[in-house]
Amino acid sequence: MTATDPAMTALSHSWCALSLLHGRIEAHIERALQAGHGLSVREYSLLDVLSRQHDGEGGHLQMKQVADAVVLSHSATTRLVTRLEDRGLLSRYLCPTDRRGIYTDVTPAGALLLEQARPTNDAALRTALGRAAADPELAPLVRALEAVKTVQAAETAAI
């Protein structure tokens, strides 16, 4: 019989709670986005990430950076971009300074859908966090997220 390290057991329990919280939030947002806008969480995330690009130095993300931002493999990200491009929500073009590079931009239709979906995403997130806050196992994580939000708001106000 091996001894169990209490610190590792607590860490493992915390990790399971975090995973549960993430899963519940993602599932709730997924249902809301699908019902209201025909978007998956991954599609919404991709549109959101790409909408934050800008012209100028470092303004456009390489596909690897996009994949990292939406937490998908490079091939899964490429398939997702293709699906959204087929729907007219994204467009691709060659990098003007490196013909091997391909940029992806949100089309006007994609920007409009993202603008319409953002309140749905935000409301679903608030609802899911509210439900999680009522769960004694998940409440400390929700409080931690609220604390992060407060710190970020204070840092933004200081700038």
Side-chain angles (χ1 to χ4, degrees), residues 33-73:
L33 288 173
Q34 281 290 346
H37 309 282
L39 282 174
S40 71
V41 168
R42 297 289 188 206
E43 291 167 339
Y44 176 88
S45 295
L46 180 64
L47 287 171
D48 184 54
V49 165
L50 292 175
S51 74
R52 297 173 196 276
Q53 297 183 121
H54 58 84
D55 292 330
E57 190 67 30
H60 276 83
L61 300 173
Q62 297 172 351
M63 198 55 83
K64 181 185 180 339
Q65 293 170 302
V66 173
D68 289 345
V70 295
V71 194
L72 290 173
S73 68

Side-chain angles (χ1 to χ4, degrees), residues 92-111:
R92 288 188 249 200
Y93 64 95
L94 291 175
C95 171
T97 59
D98 180 359
R99 307 239 352 128
R100 296 170 297 172
I102 297 174
Y103 287 153
T104 304
D105 276 336
V106 178
T107 64

Side-chain angles (χ1 to χ4, degrees), residues 31 44 73 75 79 86 109 121-122 133-134 137 140 144:
R31 287 188 299 274
Y44 176 88
S73 68
S75 61
R79 288 190 302 274
D86 290 347
N121 179 79
D122 295 349
E137 183 179 20

